[in-house]
């Protein structure tokens, strides 16, 4: 196995161009587990931990640019109030040690259906910034996942950052696992309210071959919510929203849960998170009490 350790982003891109089969490694929380259990034996490892351009974040033109190598712990501490849904999901990732090493870019590179970072990115209409020696392009999160642990990257491309707008409304994330911490999700759900557009965003995880949005549920709820008057949420609306979220999934039976349980859990999480974000949206208004 060859081990490449570029010191700059340009060197990393040149190395990837020269070795298209190279496996990038950032925090190593996924890749090293697969190597240690002999599930994967790449010919070339491309270590990105020494590339400083990947480890920061910035803001421009009303959007946050989160470097692919920014650890979850820093995302939580430094951006928790700006992207609350993503921060809530990041807090569910592994242990403190994993959050200190793991990165959003690594989560995207693995493209696991159970990745905790994916649903909030979908709900927030995030874009994935990818780059090669040929140039840079932006891929909408909804188009980034192409199959089980497959993504839309070309062979010579690396993930450089995630671009996401700061939250303009309440956001939530919910996760069901076989225990309370350090667990791969049975299923996950994210919701984001976009009041200025009178629109709802959603994201489902570990409930289909790829992370996905529940578009029918989004359209239904966006039309039903009383954005201006902020009337209390009707039970029938919450129930129908949960049903549509569950219908958007295509789960399987596996060692963590059955398909039927996943559909049931998604409906419950959708109703609960909806009640939380709507109450937060209505906070301070008498008619929402």
């Amino acid at each position: 196995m060859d081990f490449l350790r570029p010191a700059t982003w340009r060197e990393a891109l040149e190395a990837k161009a020269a070795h298209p089969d190279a496996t990038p490694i950032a925090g190593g929380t996924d890749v090293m587990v697969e190597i240690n259990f002999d599930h994967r034996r790449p010919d070339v490892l491309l270590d990105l931990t020494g590339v400083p351009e990947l480890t920061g974040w910035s803001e421009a033109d009303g959007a946050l640019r989160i470097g692919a190598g920014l650890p979850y712990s820093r995302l939580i501490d430094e951006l928790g109030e700006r992207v609350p849904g993503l921060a809530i999901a990041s807090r569910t990732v592994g242990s403190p040690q994993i959050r200190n090493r793991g990165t959003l870019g690594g989560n995207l590179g693995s493209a696991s259906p159970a990745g905790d970072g994916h649903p909030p990115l979908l709900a927030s209409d995030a874009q994935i910034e990818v780059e090669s020696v040929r140039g840079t392009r932006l891929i909408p999160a909804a188009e980034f996942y192409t199959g089980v642990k497959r993504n839309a990257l070309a062979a010579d491309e690396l993930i450089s950052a995630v671009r996401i707008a700061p939250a303009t409304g309440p956001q939530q994330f919910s996760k069901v696992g076989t225990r309370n911490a350090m667990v791969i999700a049975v299923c996950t759900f994210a919701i984001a309210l976009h009041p200025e557009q009178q629109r709802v965003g959603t994201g489902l995880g570990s409930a289909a071959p790829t992370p996905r949005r529940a578009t029918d549920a989004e359209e239904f709820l966006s039309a039903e919510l009383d954005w201006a008057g902020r009337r209390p949420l009707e039970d029938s609306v919450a129930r129908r929203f949960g049903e549509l979220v569950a219908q958007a999934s295509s789960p399987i039976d596996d060692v963590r849960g059955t398909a039927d349980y996943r559909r049931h859990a998604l409906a419950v999480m959708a109703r609960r998170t909806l009640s939380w974000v709507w109450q937060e949206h209505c906070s301070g208004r008498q008619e929402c009490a």
Side-chain angles (χ1 to χ4, degrees):
M1 181 186 297
D2 291 330
F3 185 77
L4 308 178
R5 197 162 195 264
T8 67
W9 182 234
R10 185 64 191 178
E11 289 180 9
L13 295 177
E14 291 173 351
K16 185 61 171 168
H19 303 274
D21 60 336
T23 298
I25 181 170
T29 57
D30 282 344
V31 174
M32 291 309 301
V33 171
E34 292 184 337
I35 292 175
N36 288 339
F37 281 92
D38 207 25
H39 294 162
R40 189 175 184 185
R41 188 60 57 178
D43 293 328
V44 183
L45 273 181
L46 179 59
D47 181 12
L48 301 177
T49 58
V51 179
E53 294 96 325
L54 296 178
T55 60
W57 63 271
S58 60
E59 185 173 7
D61 300 324
L64 296 170
R65 183 182 182 274
I66 303 174
L70 185 78
Y72 287 113
S73 57
R74 284 188 56 198
L75 190 156
I76 295 165
D77 292 341
E78 300 173 25
L79 296 172
E81 294 184 358
R82 312 289 298 280
V83 283
L86 187 56
I88 296 170
S90 298
R91 292 188 186 98
T92 74
V93 174
S95 62
Q97 295 91 333
I98 295 296
R99 293 192 290 274
N100 284 334
R101 292 288 300 174
T103 65
L104 192 59
N107 209 205
L108 287 163
S110 298
S112 167
D116 295 322
H118 306 315
L121 295 180
L122 290 165
S124 298
D125 300 315
Q127 294 181 307
I128 317 306
E129 179 185 299
V130 303
E131 193 169 348
S132 69
V133 293
R134 297 176 289 110
T136 303
R137 65 187 178 117
L138 296 175
I139 306 174
E143 300 174 12
F144 184 77
Y145 314 102
T146 59
V148 178
K149 295 190 175 183
R150 297 200 308 272
N151 58 46
L153 288 173
D156 63 341
E157 288 181 323
L158 293 171
I159 301 168
S160 53
V162 168
R163 298 192 187 186
I164 184 171
T168 57
Q171 300 179 351
Q172 272 291 339
F173 172 84
S174 187
K175 176 178 179 177
V176 171
T178 52
R179 60 185 184 185
N180 288 334
M182 296 178 63
V183 65
I184 299 174
V186 174
C187 55
T188 56
F189 179 73
I191 185 171
L193 298 187
H194 304 280
E196 76 289 354
Q197 303 172 20
Q198 297 191 355
R199 187 175 61 83
V200 176
T202 62
L204 286 67
S206 202
T210 64
R212 62 173 59 167
R213 292 170 58 180
T215 53
D216 288 346
E218 292 175 3
E219 293 172 2
F220 164 77
L221 189 58
S222 298
E224 291 293 328
L225 292 176
D226 181 16
W227 296 98
R230 307 192 190 194
R231 288 196 308 270
L233 185 66
E234 296 182 6
D235 289 342
S236 60
V237 171
R239 285 196 302 272
R240 182 57 179 159
F241 177 65
E243 291 170 359
L244 291 171
V245 166
Q247 290 173 17
S249 67
S250 54
I252 60 171
D253 296 334
D254 63 15
V255 295
R256 297 196 303 277
T258 65
D260 286 343
Y261 176 74
R262 285 184 163 98
R263 292 189 189 94
H264 170 74
L266 282 169
V268 173
M269 289 191 294
R271 295 195 303 268
R272 287 179 180 173
T273 54
L274 170 58
S275 69
W276 297 338
V277 294
W278 190 246
Q279 185 61 39
E280 184 179 346
H281 179 64
C282 296
S283 179
R285 294 292 294 269
Q286 184 176 359
E287 60 268 32
C288 297

